[in-house]
């Protein structure tokens, strides 16, 4: 009897690596799928960091786009109507880091500072903690216990790294206004607190002409990215249940990730399984719609927006599945959603059919859109959730130079492979042979949007190629 117990105990104590080799592939494959879904926001962050490094940036520098981004910005569903800035913040080797946001005079910054899981530490600018007065945000390393000096907005992070997604808002979209937005944005500063008495110059890395690709790879590269993240960051208490899960697929802190060919094949299959599951989850988030009987929705579960804003501190709630679906098509988070910006998304036309790149559609944006800044509609590749490659532009909005409006103040935006006659300024190109999706952005959203006294109609197909 004792001998049998010892044998059973030895079997239970098999290491994760051995487990992966001795247990049937279906069990390990299911763990790989779960790791994929759980790790999505971390990999999403790591891929943006790797794109920055590839473009010549380093930690504690600011990646930015010196013009309105074109399709080469292959992040997930970016906004090509603004000037983007992305400081990548490392506190492990530099201690607390200061991110200075300028006062909203002569420009305006909106955005959010996040940890490496992309949970919001706080918003910045008029909708953030500085209320448009400008401020020195102090990002603290995990477990930092020293007293923070006066004059700073302290933000405690649970991760060694993090980043901020910042937007320098552009007025009319003209070259002059874009240049003003860039000049204003370069007043942002990033430096260690230890050098606050004489801050070094902030390094800005312009990536406007680089193909900055952080779209999600549904293959072995995803797990390689997840391994990089796990090696770099400490385990959070909320995620310790995943230690053995990822160990079973060969990812273990302090050890190399080197799957053999059989394991690679299994991981590739798991990545494909996860993609199918995440896409179904994404489509499910369009119900219920924002407007009764319509197609527009904010495809983010409430538990996710709440969790991203409070670092998932609510007891008995940890929406890993819906979080994974969200970060499969987007990046960043917001501390106070609906204050500085709001989004509506659709993947279907008025008749409920998937949006087709080979057909022509019209969206009539009613007059008096409920925004204090601007609105825009941006098209993305349904397959990758990135901007459609090799297109002239990806978005039209109220700040688009030359946008035509109707006598009643409304604006017709057209989508298709070819612009209708005389409507190029109101047209967003699509590509035949693929599907697309659209995000309609409201910057400076106002009451009429939320009480739905102003309604964005569904997109109508007007011609098929």
């Amino acid at each position: 009897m004792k001998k049998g117990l010892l044998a059973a105990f030895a079997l239970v104590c098999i290491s994760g690596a051995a487990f992966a080799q001795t247990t049937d592939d279906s069990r390990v494959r299911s763990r790989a799928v779960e790791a994929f879904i759980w790790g999505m926001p971390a990999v999403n962050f790591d891929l943006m960091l790797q794109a920055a490094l590839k473009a010549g940036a380093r930690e504690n520098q600011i990646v930015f786009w010196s013009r309105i981004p074109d399709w080469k910005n292959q992040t997930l569903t970016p906004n090509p109507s603004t000037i983007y800035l992305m400081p990548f913040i490392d506190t492990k080797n530099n201690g607390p880091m200061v991110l200075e946001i300028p006062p909203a005079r002569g420009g305006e910054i909106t955005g959010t500072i996040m940890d490496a899981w992309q949970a919001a530490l706080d918003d910045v600018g008029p909708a953030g903690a500085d209320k448009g007065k400008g401020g020195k945000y102090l990002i603290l390393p995990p477990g930092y216990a020293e007293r923070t000096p006066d004059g700073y907005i302290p933000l405690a992070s649970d991760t060694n790294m993090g980043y901020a997604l910042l937007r320098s808002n552009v007025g009319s979209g003209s070259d002059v206004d874009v240049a003003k937005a860039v000049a204003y944005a370069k007043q942002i500063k990033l430096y260690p607190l230890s050098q606050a008495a004489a801050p070094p110059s902030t390094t800005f890395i312009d990536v406007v002409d680089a193909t900055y690709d952080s779209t999600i790879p549904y293959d072995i590269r995803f797990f390689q990215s997840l391994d990089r993240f796990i090696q770099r960051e400490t385990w959070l208490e909320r995620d310790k249940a995943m230690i053995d899960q990822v160990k079973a697929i060969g990812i273990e802190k302090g050890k190399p990730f080197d799957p053999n060919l059989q394991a690679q094949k299994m991981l590739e299959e798991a990545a494909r399984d996860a993609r199918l599951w995440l896409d179904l989850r994404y489509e499910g988030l369009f119900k219920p719609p924002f407007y009764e009987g319509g197609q527009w929705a904010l495809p983010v579960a409430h538990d996710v927006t709440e969790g991203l804003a409070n670092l998932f501190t609510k007891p008995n709630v940890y929406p890993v599945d819906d979080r994974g679906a969200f970060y499969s098509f987007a990046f960043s988070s917001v501390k106070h959603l609906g204050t500085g910006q709001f989004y509506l998304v659709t993947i279907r036309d008025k008749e409920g059919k998937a949006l087709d790149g080979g057909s022509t559609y019209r969206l009539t944006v009613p007059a008096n859109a409920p925004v204090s800044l601007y609105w825009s509609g941006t098209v993305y590749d349904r397959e990758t959730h990135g901007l459609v490659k090799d297109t002239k532009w990806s978005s039209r909005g109220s700040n688009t130079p030359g946008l035509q409006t109707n006598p009643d103040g409304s604006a017709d935006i057209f989508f298709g492979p070819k612009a209708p006659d005389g409507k190029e300024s109101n047209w967003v190109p699509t590509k035949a042979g693929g599907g697309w999706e659209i995000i309609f952005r409201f910057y400076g959203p106002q009451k009429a949007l939320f009480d739905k006294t102003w309604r964005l109609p569904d997109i109508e197909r007007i011609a098929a190629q």
Side-chain angles (χ1 to χ4, degrees):
M1 182 71 175
K2 186 178 290 186
K3 187 175 180 180
L5 285 172
L6 288 172
F9 179 75
L11 182 63
V12 170
C13 291
I14 293 174
S15 71
F19 176 82
Q21 296 170 3
T22 58
T23 307
D24 74 274
D25 283 350
S26 63
R27 178 72 179 272
V28 181
R29 181 166 160 176
S30 69
R31 289 193 165 194
V33 172
E34 293 302 321
F36 199 109
I37 295 165
W38 163 78
M40 181 64 77
V43 169
N44 186 315
F45 165 78
D46 178 71
L47 293 171
M48 290 188 290
L49 173 61
Q50 298 306 314
L53 297 174
K54 183 178 179 181
R58 293 293 179 266
E59 293 87 347
N60 296 327
Q61 295 180 348
I62 300 179
V63 166
F64 84 111
W65 282 258
S66 61
R67 301 189 303 271
I68 297 296
D70 63 13
W71 65 267
K72 295 187 192 70
N73 181 344
Q74 284 291 303
T75 51
L76 297 180
T77 56
N79 178 7
S81 301
T82 191
I83 297 299
Y84 267 134
L85 301 102
M86 295 173 67
F88 286 93
I89 301 163
D90 176 18
T91 62
K92 183 175 183 178
N93 299 311
N94 298 274
M97 293 294 299
V98 180
L99 181 65
E100 279 195 41
I101 301 298
R105 294 193 301 268
E108 184 172 301
I109 299 291
T110 59
T112 305
I113 303 168
M114 294 158 279
D115 67 15
W117 283 94
Q118 302 197 62
L121 302 181
D122 215 326
D123 300 330
V124 306
D130 64 276
K131 305 299 182 186
K133 297 177 182 178
K136 296 179 181 180
Y137 291 83
L138 185 61
I139 299 93
L140 304 173
Y144 189 79
E146 296 181 32
R147 180 183 176 277
T148 57
D150 294 336
Y152 294 88
I153 301 168
L155 303 178
S157 177
D158 288 333
T159 58
N160 295 316
M161 288 201 69
Y163 82 113
L165 178 64
L166 309 176
R167 309 166 191 85
S168 184
N169 293 315
V170 179
S172 68
S174 67
D175 290 343
V176 171
D177 280 351
V178 169
K180 286 181 180 178
V182 171
Y184 172 73
K186 294 188 83 169
Q187 297 178 52
I188 296 169
K189 298 177 183 178
L190 178 63
Y191 54 87
L193 176 64
S194 61
Q195 300 180 45
S201 297
T202 300
T203 300
F204 291 82
I205 305 297
D206 188 0
V207 297
V208 74
D209 292 319
T211 301
Y212 195 92
D213 192 347
S214 63
T215 52
I216 304 299
Y218 290 87
D219 53 36
I220 191 65
R221 292 172 294 169
F222 184 96
F223 297 101
Q224 292 167 340
S225 178
L226 182 59
D227 175 67
R228 276 194 301 269
F229 186 94
I230 287 174
Q231 301 304 331
R232 188 171 58 236
E233 296 293 344
T234 57
W235 280 98
L236 303 184
E237 286 296 323
R238 71 179 188 230
D239 290 319
K240 282 192 172 181
M242 290 301 298
I243 293 176
D244 275 0
Q245 298 276 6
V246 299
K247 188 176 179 180
I249 62 174
I251 298 175
E252 186 175 358
K253 196 166 184 66
K255 294 186 179 181
F257 175 56
D258 187 24
N260 60 29
L261 290 178
Q262 181 181 353
Q264 288 184 40
K265 180 176 181 293
M266 180 274 297
L267 291 171
E268 298 264 352
E269 291 170 350
R272 290 192 290 272
D273 290 347
R275 181 175 200 161
L276 291 171
W277 189 92
L278 286 164
D279 198 54
L280 286 172
R281 193 83 177 191
Y282 170 57
E283 291 192 7
L285 291 171
F286 286 85
K287 296 177 182 177
F290 187 73
Y291 304 108
E292 186 177 354
Q295 300 294 338
W296 294 101
L298 176 64
V300 187
H302 172 73
D303 284 344
V304 173
T305 56
E306 185 179 57
L308 290 169
N310 66 19
L311 302 180
F312 298 100
T313 54
K314 186 175 180 179
N316 306 316
V317 178
Y318 191 24
V320 169
D321 290 348
D322 284 333
R323 184 185 67 177
F326 173 67
Y327 283 108
S328 72
F329 75 90
F331 68 104
S332 180
S333 64
V334 178
K335 187 79 170 177
H336 306 288
L337 183 63
T339 303
Q341 58 270 330
F342 194 77
Y343 312 94
L344 290 176
V345 186
T346 188
I347 57 177
R348 302 186 184 281
D349 66 13
K350 184 178 180 179
E351 304 303 320
K353 296 180 179 178
L355 298 168
D356 170 40
S359 299
T360 300
Y361 300 83
R362 178 179 58 228
L363 169 64
T364 299
V365 182
N368 303 315
V371 292
S372 60
L373 294 173
Y374 67 93
W375 58 259
S376 68
T378 305
V379 164
Y380 304 95
D381 187 318
R382 180 69 180 82
E383 185 78 5
T384 67
H385 304 293
L387 297 171
V388 180
K389 292 183 177 180
D390 299 310
T391 50
K392 194 171 184 178
W393 51 66
S394 304
S395 181
R396 301 282 87 176
S398 58
N399 60 350
T400 299
L403 186 77
Q404 300 175 25
T405 56
N406 300 319
D408 64 356
S410 64
D412 292 324
I413 309 299
F414 298 90
F415 310 91
K418 182 180 177 182
D421 290 344
K423 298 296 183 182
E424 188 174 51
S425 63
N426 287 42
W427 163 69
V428 183
T430 62
K431 278 191 171 183
W436 57 279
E437 58 198 348
I438 178 173
I439 295 181
F440 198 93
R441 290 177 167 87
F442 302 82
Y443 277 95
Q446 297 176 328
K447 182 175 180 290
L449 172 64
F450 301 109
D451 66 19
K452 302 178 186 178
T453 54
W454 183 95
R455 174 169 177 152
L456 185 67
D458 290 327
I459 292 172
E460 296 182 83
R461 188 166 80 156
I462 57 176
Q465 299 296 316

